Amino acid sequence: MTEHQNPDVLVVGGGNAGLCAALAAREHGASVLVIESAPRELRSGNSRHTRNLRCMHDAPTPVLSDAYSEEEYYSDLMRVTMGETDERLARMTIRSSDTCTQWMAGYGVRFQPSLGGTLHLDRTNVFFLGGGKALMNTYYAAAERLGIRVLYDAEGFEVDLANGEFRGLLCHMDGRTVELHAKALVIASGGFESNLDWLKEIWGAPADNFIIRGTPYNTGKVLKAMLAQGAQAVGDPTQCHAVAIDARAPKFDGGIVTRLDCVSLGVVINGDAKRFYDEGEDFWPKRYAIWGRLVAQQPDQIAYSIIDAKAIGRFMPSAFPAVRADSIGELAEKLGLPPATVESTVMTFNRAVVPGTFDHAVLDDCRTEGLAPEKTHWARAIDTPPFYGYPLRPGITFTYLGLKVDENAGVVMSSGRRARNVFAAGEIMAGNILGRGYLAGFGMTIGTVFGRIAGKEAALAAR
């Protein structure tokens, strides 16, 4: 192992943030070693399941329409986080997003033309041609060309710090424990969402019904080790990117295709056949990541989305076929719900619908009146057979408890001082900016921006 033990920069984690850090460190003359806890065929963490990145831009681009200003971007972020963000870091991330696509294209990343339709992202989000896996394969190919070394099946679990200075990392590899050394450390190892025991410490028994949308390798061991060494924590451990996904999805690694985007087009009921939240509160990319928590708060962590024939073709196709029936009562039976109660809930909803002009591309005037909770947009009577239903479970993408960082991606210790040569990027520090809620594509923006910063600063620290 001697040939791997003394790079200038050691990067823990082989996802988007980690590879951006590795490439940026190499740009600044550092030798770089990346350790990835997954095997090669499952590398890249949650990033291989992604598809887009949210970008500020002041004018149309070849892949984005119109403009998306700093103030609008920040206003969107404030709305979804309810103000729980570090404004300095958030604005820095937003401004830096303007240069991301050019930097990415320099390494061979390709993008799709802007997307219209019900995703509402043609102005705000740039999509990777081939999705997250193609993006990460491009980064890995660039890393290989530049002489960046990658070790797979290498799980870091203990960090040696002395007065805030990195001295070594213990990792499991090839059935043995190996100690790695470097002049600077970048931690980009994600959250702890696939550590089911840790989730249960926070959520209790309901965590047994959570589904992990992404990699099973984000166990949070390096995060826990850093906190034990005196790194300052940031973020509420109960907050996370949690989406309502198909309850039939696999326990791990189902990815983005398990998400259900029909919620805003119908009603969502719990196991008691009762509605519990406004399905039409805002555009789906600004609200989809709250629905996992909402479902988690329901009895047995289960809910059901019910739509009718009018909604078909207006949302992304589902990986699993919908449960289909010719009547609401029959649909309820197939879903295992009490038919009379479901029929009553749907009938009450239908009577409360105020006629309007339906337009899923805007916050339209189709709403209900006299319901609790109301549906404030896109409310239409569910009255056109056939009817469709999907069972929903909380789908956890990544957790927000992480490491506090400064504007240079430097890890801040509990003393308030910055660690001399330890930096963090990606999900492990996203809680600095995402106190709650989520904006579509923003996790990749944070990872790209802070990955580049962390890599540069680590190279300078190593020098």
Side-chain angles (χ1 to χ4, degrees):
M1 290 301 302
T2 55
E3 72 273 19
H4 297 305
Q5 289 182 339
N6 295 295
D8 293 328
V9 176
L10 173 62
V11 177
V12 182
N16 173 62
L19 266 291
C20 287
L23 292 168
R26 194 76 187 96
E27 287 174 3
H28 289 83
S31 60
V32 183
L33 171 64
V34 177
I35 65 167
E36 165 64 282
S37 59
R40 188 181 189 280
E41 61 272 17
L42 294 175
R43 68 189 183 188
S44 305
N46 291 335
S47 302
R48 62 195 170 90
H49 292 304
T50 63
R51 56 183 178 174
N52 61 78
L53 179 148
R54 185 169 287 253
C55 289
M56 183 190 101
H57 57 108
D58 293 324
T61 78
V63 290
L64 287 165
S65 65
D66 200 6
Y68 189 43
S69 70
E70 175 186 339
E71 290 308 319
E72 183 182 1
Y73 199 149
Y74 184 68
S75 175
D76 286 343
L77 179 64
M78 287 291 286
R79 187 157 56 253
V80 299
T81 63
M82 299 182 183
E84 293 186 29
T85 187
D86 181 317
E87 181 174 357
R88 180 184 53 165
L89 297 183
R91 286 190 177 276
M92 186 187 76
T93 303
I94 290 168
R95 291 172 190 142
S96 298
S97 71
D98 188 37
T99 66
C100 284
T101 55
Q102 184 177 359
W103 183 84
M104 296 164 72
Y107 285 106
V109 177
R110 299 176 66 191
F111 304 98
Q112 297 179 199
S114 61
L115 299 180
T118 59
L119 283 174
H120 315 293
L121 298 175
D122 57 306
R123 284 195 311 115
T124 60
N125 289 48
V126 59
F127 280 70
F128 322 129
L129 185 64
K133 194 165 186 178
L135 168 76
M136 294 311 302
N137 285 344
T138 301
Y139 281 159
Y140 273 99
E144 184 176 359
R145 290 194 304 270
L146 294 172
I148 296 171
R149 294 167 291 164
V150 181
L151 299 179
Y152 297 105
D153 293 300
E155 182 184 39
F157 67 93
E158 188 172 319
V159 183
D160 181 10
L161 294 181
N163 297 319
E165 183 167 354
F166 171 66
R167 299 196 303 190
L169 175 80
L170 292 181
C171 68
H172 294 304
M173 187 164 46
D174 297 329
R176 58 199 176 104
T177 298
V178 175
E179 185 169 6
L180 300 175
H181 301 276
K183 296 175 184 176
L185 174 69
V186 176
I187 305 171
S189 51
F192 64 90
E193 65 277 358
S194 48
N195 187 329
L196 302 182
D197 290 336
W198 198 345
L199 289 180
K200 287 191 72 171
E201 287 178 18
I202 295 164
W203 286 87
D208 286 332
N209 290 322
F210 292 177
I211 296 173
I212 313 307
R213 298 174 72 211
T215 178
Y217 296 96
N218 278 6
T219 59
K221 290 184 179 178
V222 176
L223 169 61
K224 186 167 282 191
M226 285 295 296
L227 296 176
Q229 289 280 350
Q232 191 173 148
V234 71
D236 180 347
T238 70
Q239 293 292 338
C240 53
H241 182 297
V243 180
I245 67 171
D246 199 303
R248 298 163 291 182
K251 184 67 174 179
F252 292 99
D253 246 349
I256 200 166
V257 298
T258 61
R259 192 177 94 193
L260 292 172
D261 292 342
C262 56
V263 166
S264 59
L265 294 166
V267 296
V268 177
I269 59 176
N270 60 22
D272 297 325
K274 303 296 184 183
R275 290 178 62 248
F276 52 89
Y277 198 79
D278 178 3
E279 302 91 344
E281 184 177 37
D282 205 339
F283 291 122
W284 191 233
K286 299 176 185 178
R287 285 295 178 268
Y288 76 96
I290 70 169
W291 275 89
R293 288 179 60 85
L294 292 171
V295 175
Q297 294 163 358
Q298 303 310 306
D300 299 321
Q301 296 72 58
I302 189 76
Y304 304 86
S305 177
I306 295 177
I307 57 175
D308 69 3
K310 296 192 296 295
I312 297 301
R314 294 185 177 272
F315 59 93
M316 294 289 287
S318 57
F320 299 89
V323 178
R324 182 182 184 277
D326 293 324
S327 70
I328 293 295
E330 180 189 357
L331 181 64
E333 288 183 352
K334 288 184 175 182
L335 293 173
L337 296 169
T341 310
V342 176
E343 288 174 335
S344 175
T345 296
V346 172
M347 188 180 303
T348 300
F349 173 83
N350 288 349
R351 284 200 297 260
V353 171
V354 176
T357 302
F358 178 83
D359 187 347
H360 201 214
V362 301
L363 295 173
D364 69 11
D365 60 351
C366 293
R367 59 183 178 85
T368 61
E369 191 173 274
L371 280 184
E374 300 284 7
K375 183 172 181 181
T376 51
H377 303 287
W378 312 305
R380 293 194 293 177
I382 300 172
D383 57 6
T384 306
F387 302 94
Y388 301 88
Y390 291 95
L392 307 175
R393 287 280 190 201
I396 311 301
T397 310
F398 67 93
T399 45
Y400 289 178
L401 174 68
L403 302 175
K404 185 173 179 60
V405 299
D406 63 12
E407 65 276 10
N408 293 317
V411 173
V412 178
M413 305 303 289
S414 55
S415 65
R417 297 181 62 184
R418 192 185 90 172
R420 190 190 74 78
N421 59 348
V422 184
F423 306 87
E427 292 173 2
I428 200 167
M429 50 65 60
N432 289 271
I433 301 169
L434 288 167
R436 64 168 64 202
Y438 191 69
L439 281 174
F442 196 46
M444 291 296 282
T445 306
I446 293 172
T448 304
V449 168
F450 272 88
R452 293 172 63 188
I453 294 170
K456 173 186 175 182
E457 295 297 326
L460 295 176
R463 190 181 302 168

